Amino acid sequence: MKKMKKGTAYTVQGALIAAIYAALTYAVAPLSFGATQFRISEALTVLPVFTPAAIPGLAVGCIIANIGSPYGPIDIVLGTAATVLAALMTRLTRNIKIKNIPLLSLIFPTIFNGIIIGAEIMMFTPGQAGVIGFFTSASGVALGEVVVCYTLGILLYIGLDKTKVFKKLGD
């Protein structure tokens, strides 16, 4: 297989990640938004382990996905901020592995989405204001993140690591 040029591979990888993230989010839209969310697309948050192109790819995918959010423009801004912070930390910790799996990297989507999106949901949910409301919202979001990242995310990581697909594409 002929390697792509570095810039082309980066752009194509980012664009594909954005498209897949948005499509997966909309495919299970009722589960993607709300107090407890199982956003299947969050499995892709493992991709910064393989390529830096995943950082803008996830950000753009999140922007596109959150256009359909019931929380409106604030979710586009805050959701994307949470995604970018998680993706950056995932990339930075990619080499810390337990049994050859970057388990630490997968915690950052849980932390950032739990805190940021949990606060957002608390603000927009009647009767949820205050510390208890925040912890209730943050726990619901974090639970969904843990389930998706540590099941589908690990499976995705194992599959991509075995195939070396990102190395073949020139990254």
Side-chain angles (χ1 to χ4, degrees):
M1 175 182 217
K2 187 177 176 184
K3 283 190 172 187
M4 287 187 197
K5 289 187 178 185
K6 196 83 158 163
T8 304
Y10 185 91
T11 302
V12 169
Q13 288 172 10
L16 284 171
I17 291 166
I20 294 167
Y21 184 98
L24 285 173
T25 302
Y26 285 126
V28 293
L31 295 174
S32 296
F33 303 100
T36 301
Q37 45 188 260
F38 291 94
R39 194 176 269 208
I40 304 304
S41 52
E42 287 292 299
L44 300 178
T45 60
V46 73
L47 296 180
V49 168
F50 295 103
T51 176
I55 298 167
L58 290 168
V60 171
C62 187
I63 290 168
I64 294 167
N66 285 348
I67 289 171
S69 170
Y71 299 106
I74 193 76
D75 200 24
I76 295 170
V77 173
L78 293 179
T80 303
T83 297
V84 169
L85 290 169
L88 288 169
M89 290 304 298
T90 298
R91 182 76 184 159
L92 287 173
T93 60
R94 71 188 180 278
N95 293 321
I96 302 169
K97 297 180 181 178
I98 299 168
K99 295 191 178 190
N100 204 33
I101 297 176
L103 294 175
L104 178 63
S105 296
L106 296 171
I107 197 66
F108 295 108
T110 300
I111 293 170
F112 286 108
N113 282 292
I115 293 170
I116 295 170
I117 305 307
E120 177 187 326
I121 291 171
M122 177 205 62
M123 291 186 302
F124 287 104
T125 304
Q128 286 291 332
V131 175
I132 293 173
F134 168 73
F135 281 112
T136 301
S137 298
S139 296
V141 173
L143 173 65
E145 288 288 330
V146 165
V147 169
V148 171
C149 291
Y150 282 95
T151 56
L152 298 178
I154 287 175
L155 291 173
L156 180 60
Y157 172 81
I158 291 168
L160 291 173
D161 190 49
K162 282 184 181 182
T163 64
K164 306 291 186 213
V165 69
F166 283 99
K167 295 211 184 294
K168 291 176 187 173
L169 291 174
D171 204 39

